[in-house]
Amino acid sequence: MMLQELLGLIAKGQQRTPRDLAAVMGISPAMVEQMTLQLANLGYLEEITQCGADCDGCESGDACLLMARQKVWMLTTRGKRAAAAPV
């Protein structure tokens, strides 16, 4: 249930740090880190190490987590299906 909630938050497309996600979910940032690793191992998430786009004019601007050297996760096709599934 908590994994599905995390997938749903990630699916909303807003960049969030583990601290932000933890606050929304009422858990620790360390727990969020463990959950994202578990979701990645199950094939629901993949880590983005570079976006491939030119940073000039990017809508994320100064809020880019990649530029802040934080992990950024993206839903895989399997993750998108799971996030859209009714709870």
Side-chain angles (χ1 to χ4, degrees), residues 3 6-7 10 34-45:
L3 292 175
L6 180 57
L7 280 175
I10 294 170
Q34 289 298 320
M35 291 169 65
T36 53
L37 291 174
Q38 183 177 2
L39 288 167
N41 288 335
L42 293 169
Y44 293 102
L45 294 176

Side-chain angles (χ1 to χ4, degrees), residues 15-17 58-68 70 72:
Q15 291 187 354
R16 298 178 182 213
T17 65
C58 176
E59 63 187 44
S60 294
D62 293 334
C64 179
L65 296 176
L66 286 173
M67 296 301 287
Q70 294 192 34
V72 177

Side-chain angles (χ1 to χ4, degrees), residues 11-27:
K12 289 182 181 178
Q14 298 174 346
Q15 291 187 354
R16 298 178 182 213
T17 65
R19 179 183 293 252
D20 295 337
L21 292 165
V24 170
M25 295 179 70
I27 60 177

Side-chain angles (χ1 to χ4, degrees), residues 43-60:
Y44 293 102
L45 294 176
E46 63 182 335
E47 185 179 356
I48 299 172
T49 55
Q50 55 183 218
C51 70
D54 184 9
C55 293
D56 292 335
C58 176
E59 63 187 44
S60 294

